[in-house]
């Protein structure tokens, strides 16, 4: 049975994915730890095949750096890494954006880009989820936007983000892709 580690619970996404996967996989959710301390992850990485990170919005570069350090120490049989990032890291948004709870867009996007680079350079199959503003209620149908394609700023429900994240593992969708998520 695959062992899945979910790190963080930004916008309750960790819990939502846990609920979707726990009937098929051995799943552990880490929520109340120091996400910048690599030692905090070590005991939970043994035997892990899949990592999800739902961290942020700020300092995600430091947090992903700590995860990578812990992975290097433990060396689990990791097969996939799924990371929550944000729309805008590839300059794909067609308009100026104000991110919720972010004072400095430039620094925020640089942190996100660096975290994605760390995951990409780890050289295992990955999926980067780039939602626009995450909201509680669904507003419409989900659009999945490929990397490099322009997209508008808008909203996407936490349920649609969680469903997409679960599909990555369940159906091996969106492997080695960075996808924008928005509802129309």
């Amino acid at each position: 049975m695959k062992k899945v580690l979910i790190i963080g619970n930004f916008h309750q996404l960790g819990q939502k994915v846990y609920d979707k996967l726990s009937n098929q996989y051995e799943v552990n959710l880490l929520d109340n730890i120091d996400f910048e301390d690599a030692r905090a992850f070590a005991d939970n990485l043994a035997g892990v095949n899949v990592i999800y990170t739902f961290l942020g919005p700020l300092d995600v570069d430091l947090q992903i750096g700590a995860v990578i350090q812990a992975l290097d120490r433990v060396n689990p049989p990791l097969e996939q890494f799924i990371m929550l990032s944000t729309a805008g890291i590839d300059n794909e948004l067609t308009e100026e954006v104000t991110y919720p709870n972010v004072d400095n867009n430039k620094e925020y996007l640089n942190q996100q880009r660096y975290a994605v680079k760390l995951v990409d350079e780890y050289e295992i199959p990955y999926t980067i989820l780039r939602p626009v503003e995450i909201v509680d209620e669904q507003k419409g149908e989900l659009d999945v936007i490929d990397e490099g394609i322009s997209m508008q700023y808008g909203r996407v429900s936490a349920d649609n983000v969680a469903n997409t994240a679960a599909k990555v593992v369940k159906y091996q969708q969106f492997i080695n892709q960075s996808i924008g998520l928005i509802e129309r």
Side-chain angles (χ1 to χ4, degrees):
M1 176 181 284
K2 276 191 183 182
K3 189 172 180 182
V4 177
L5 179 62
I6 301 171
I7 301 171
N9 199 20
F10 180 72
H11 218 289
Q12 298 299 307
L13 289 168
Q15 185 63 53
K16 289 176 184 290
V17 172
Y18 178 92
D19 293 343
K20 292 178 184 318
L21 297 179
S22 60
N23 62 343
Q24 284 185 274
Y25 307 103
E26 180 183 338
V27 183
N28 187 18
L29 171 61
L30 292 181
D31 188 17
N32 293 317
I33 64 168
D34 179 357
F35 295 120
E36 294 179 23
D37 183 1
R39 294 171 297 185
F41 301 112
D43 293 340
N44 298 286
L45 285 171
V48 167
N49 306 106
V50 178
I51 290 180
Y52 283 90
T53 59
F54 298 109
L55 299 166
L58 300 175
D59 296 329
V60 73
D61 54 338
L62 301 175
Q63 296 164 349
I64 293 293
V67 171
I68 298 295
Q69 283 180 343
L71 286 170
D72 287 343
R73 290 180 190 162
V74 176
N75 200 22
L78 196 61
E79 301 167 9
Q80 283 183 286
F81 198 118
I82 299 93
M83 177 188 162
L84 177 71
S85 186
T86 189
I89 61 170
D90 295 323
N91 297 316
E92 74 276 25
L93 293 175
T94 59
E95 57 202 87
E96 191 67 28
V97 176
T98 301
Y99 295 95
N101 302 316
V102 173
D103 294 330
N104 184 331
N105 280 3
K106 183 178 179 183
E107 178 63 22
Y108 168 65
L109 291 174
N110 284 339
Q111 291 172 2
Q112 293 288 327
R113 287 181 189 111
Y114 186 71
V116 168
K117 181 180 178 185
L118 290 173
V119 170
D120 180 40
E121 289 179 351
Y122 203 69
E123 296 187 359
I124 61 153
Y126 67 87
T127 304
I128 307 300
L129 306 171
R130 294 179 291 108
V132 288
E133 182 181 351
I134 301 172
V135 295
D136 293 327
E137 293 184 27
Q138 189 170 345
K139 302 293 182 192
E141 281 191 51
L142 178 68
D143 267 347
V144 176
I145 312 295
D146 290 332
E147 186 174 6
I149 304 296
S150 295
M151 62 186 282
Q152 294 181 338
Y153 184 78
R155 294 186 166 102
V156 63
S157 68
D159 286 337
N160 266 333
V161 175
N163 288 339
T164 304
K167 286 179 183 178
V168 170
V169 171
K170 282 185 175 182
Y171 306 111
Q172 294 299 298
Q173 290 185 322
F174 313 117
I175 304 301
N176 293 328
Q177 294 182 41
S178 175
I179 55 172
L181 302 173
I182 188 169
E183 291 172 4
R184 49 184 147 111

